[in-house]
Amino acid sequence: MNLPPHLTIGGGHLHIGGHDCVTLAEEYGTPLYVTDEMRIIANFTRFASALKRHYPAIQVLYAAKANGNLAILRTLARQGAGADVFSAGELDLALSAGMDPRLLLFNGSSKSPVDLALAAAKGVRVSVDSIDELRQLDAAAGAAGKTVEIAFRVNPALEVPTHPKIATGLRTSKFGIPADQILDAYREALACDHVRPVGMHCHIGSQILDVLPFARAAGVMAEVARDVTDLGIKLKFLDIGGGLGIPYHRSIDVAPTPEEYADAVMPVFLEAINRCGITPELWVEPGRYLVGDSTVLLTAVNSVKQSHKTFVNVDAGFNLLARPVLYDAWHEVVVANRADAKPAGEYTVTGPICETGDIIASDRRLPAVKAGDLIAVLDAGAYGFSMSSQYNSRPRCPEVLVNGARAALMRRGETVGDLTGTMQTPPWQE
Ligand code: LLP
């Protein structure tokens, strides 16, 4: 298996950012998410530089949904990132992390009146997803005495090679405004009093391992940009979304590099803006690429059972990492306390949740596993903790951040008290 440079093996143990996973698990308990801050910074730098080689005015908007821990948002804010925020909660987190409101884009296909009022009050730009929403935003901005700068989200009607649940630019997707309505939307925005159209947005999907769809989407945006420019609108930014995939299947997947991504997308973008005679910023919204490989989920083996298969029953399930059950996603697993031992059999790693689908990894060749061993689930940084739940009334686990020799909690583990803390007794049960 190809390990990324921040994951190493020493003394038979897996290390992350130089920290022994076995020691971390002893100190903080399991299950435990551990993230290497330096890896996030390295991923950010590589991604941004790859694009900046072609064009200087690049702005990275981290997709906060991938991992919304404040510490991670702070790390990225300090690198100059803004954020793609998809809820009032993500907006609050991004601002709390010190991000510039002008570098946030409030996205989403179903924003509430409260969301729209909040966007207006905080001075963040909004990716408007329907003409209905445009009218509501105009009214909300008017009520707040503000003018809100907006983009429209374009539906590019593109098939992309990824799991159907995370392809977002299909003709049939709920996101974006169809090409045949998009100019009407911009026209109507021009006529609004409290909304100013200054951008264009698109996001075609996630975990895409081919650069061609990104170039195609940029091509669709280029065409719309020309028509929008002809309407007399001066585009300040074009936002091509996120979606670059990572090689979860570490011995098989070949993921495009950020340089390959940039080489595919940038010529289309540059050609388009030259043709329009404009110099907008290019905004990109990577989530997974920045944080996906930065994190391992450490989970202890409770028991091993020889049944139809050999089941390794661990203490983290789809309550903490939902990607396998939701998308049949592959995550590599390593026996962290015997990381250099040869495979001795085939194991299926299953969580503690009361559903048959609670499988972290099926039929993996691993060293002999026994109770008390520690399993590391790799590439758990994106859509791991952020999609976790308290199902089966399991408090969520802590998250640790490491940076060089330092390690610290960036979220404490929940307790059963946290589960009951928000519950209330209806008066007739008193
Ligand atoms: N921009 C928008 C508008 C998005 O909706 C998303 C992701 C991104 C950017 C970031 O995409 P990324 O670069 O991370 O691929 N839970 C799924 C992924 C859902 C992605 C949702 N939107 C998973 O675990 O694979």
Side-chain angles (χ1 to χ4, degrees):
M1 182 194 314
N2 309 315
L3 289 179
H6 62 297
L7 297 182
T8 51
I9 295 172
H13 292 182
L14 182 72
H15 290 64
I16 174 164
H19 293 258
D20 185 334
C21 290
V22 175
T23 312
L24 288 168
E26 280 165 5
E27 188 171 342
Y28 295 98
T30 62
L32 181 70
Y33 271 106
V34 185
T35 296
D36 183 2
E37 187 174 22
M38 306 265 258
R39 180 62 177 176
I40 296 178
I41 295 172
N43 289 343
F44 175 89
T45 306
R46 182 166 181 190
F47 193 89
S49 325
L51 293 161
K52 283 184 183 163
R53 275 191 309 144
H54 296 259
Y55 187 66
I58 302 291
Q59 181 58 50
V60 176
L61 274 68
Y62 167 57
K65 68 208 81 183
N67 189 326
N69 192 297
L70 260 180
I72 288 174
L73 287 162
R74 220 177 275 124
T75 303
L76 287 163
R78 288 177 183 170
Q79 303 304 307
D84 140 38
V85 298
F86 226 81
S87 67
E90 289 182 359
L91 172 58
D92 191 84
L93 286 164
L95 292 172
S96 303
M99 285 176 175
D100 178 349
R102 303 295 292 165
L103 301 183
L104 304 181
L105 188 64
F106 200 135
N107 284 319
S109 55
S110 184
K111 301 184 195 78
S112 70
V114 172
D115 294 337
L116 298 175
L118 192 68
K122 300 283 181 190
V124 303
R125 289 160 168 157
V126 177
S127 168
V128 174
D129 205 280
S130 66
I131 294 182
D132 189 0
E133 184 184 305
L134 172 72
R135 294 173 187 157
Q136 293 186 38
L137 179 61
D138 189 39
K146 305 259 181 163
T147 299
V148 177
E149 294 194 336
I150 64 151
F152 281 109
R153 178 151 171 180
V154 178
N155 178 329
L158 279 180
E159 302 277 335
V160 291
T162 189
H163 192 282
K165 286 185 183 163
I166 55 175
T168 48
L170 307 173
R171 188 179 56 78
T172 50
S173 296
K174 69 172 179 169
F175 299 106
I177 299 179
D180 60 351
Q181 296 171 31
I182 196 83
L183 288 183
D184 284 341
Y186 277 99
R187 272 189 209 103
E188 181 156 343
L190 273 180
C192 287
D193 291 330
H194 305 285
V195 159
R196 190 179 305 134
V198 297
M200 185 180 299
H201 180 216
C202 182
H203 169 71
I204 57 174
S206 198
Q207 184 52 16
I208 298 170
L209 292 175
D210 178 2
V211 293
L212 259 182
F214 296 111
R216 288 207 184 99
V220 173
M221 289 184 79
E223 277 180 34
V224 182
R226 196 186 43 206
D227 295 344
V228 166
T229 306
D230 287 345
L231 288 181
I233 292 172
K234 192 155 186 295
L235 288 168
K236 291 191 197 171
F237 69 90
L238 292 185
D239 181 340
I240 57 174
L244 183 61
I246 63 171
Y248 284 106
H249 212 311
R250 291 201 156 270
S251 41
I252 294 180
D253 285 348
V254 181
T257 62
E259 293 76 19
E260 288 164 343
Y261 169 78
D263 287 346
V265 162
M266 292 309 293
V268 184
F269 169 77
L270 291 173
E271 219 259 314
I273 64 169
N274 285 338
R275 201 150 27 103
C276 298
I278 54 174
T279 48
E281 291 185 3
L282 177 69
W283 288 12
V284 278
E285 300 176 339
R288 191 186 317 266
Y289 180 81
L290 300 184
V291 296
D293 71 5
S294 70
T295 302
V296 295
L297 172 58
L298 301 179
T299 178
V301 177
N302 285 328
S303 55
V304 177
K305 175 164 64 182
Q306 188 57 57
S307 175
H308 154 67
K309 293 179 172 182
T310 309
F311 291 114
V312 175
N313 302 308
V314 297
D315 59 5
F318 77 66
N319 53 323
L320 291 177
L321 183 66
R323 302 194 67 257
V325 67
L326 279 179
Y327 317 116
D328 295 319
W330 177 284
H331 284 260
E332 300 286 4
V333 289
V334 173
V335 181
N337 57 316
R338 228 167 307 115
D340 54 1
K342 294 252 168 312
E346 206 167 81
Y347 297 91
T348 290
V349 180
T350 64
I353 299 299
C354 61
E355 296 198 23
T356 305
D358 187 27
I359 294 174
I360 299 257
S362 292
D363 308 322
R364 303 297 175 86
R365 305 269 313 152
L366 297 175
V369 185
K370 56 180 189 334
D373 281 343
L374 183 69
I375 302 279
V377 186
L378 307 192
D379 302 309
Y383 311 105
F385 194 98
S386 67
M387 293 177 70
S388 65
S389 75
Q390 298 170 327
Y391 186 34
N392 277 170
S393 295
R394 287 181 173 272
R396 291 185 186 83
C397 70
E399 294 181 284
V400 163
L401 188 68
V402 301
N403 180 326
R406 296 168 292 186
L409 278 177
M410 59 174 172
R411 189 189 314 257
R412 71 162 170 82
E414 292 174 349
T415 62
V416 174
D418 290 317
L419 302 183
T420 53
T422 51
M423 297 182 191
Q424 308 220 4
T425 309
W428 63 89
Q429 291 184 352
E430 299 275 9

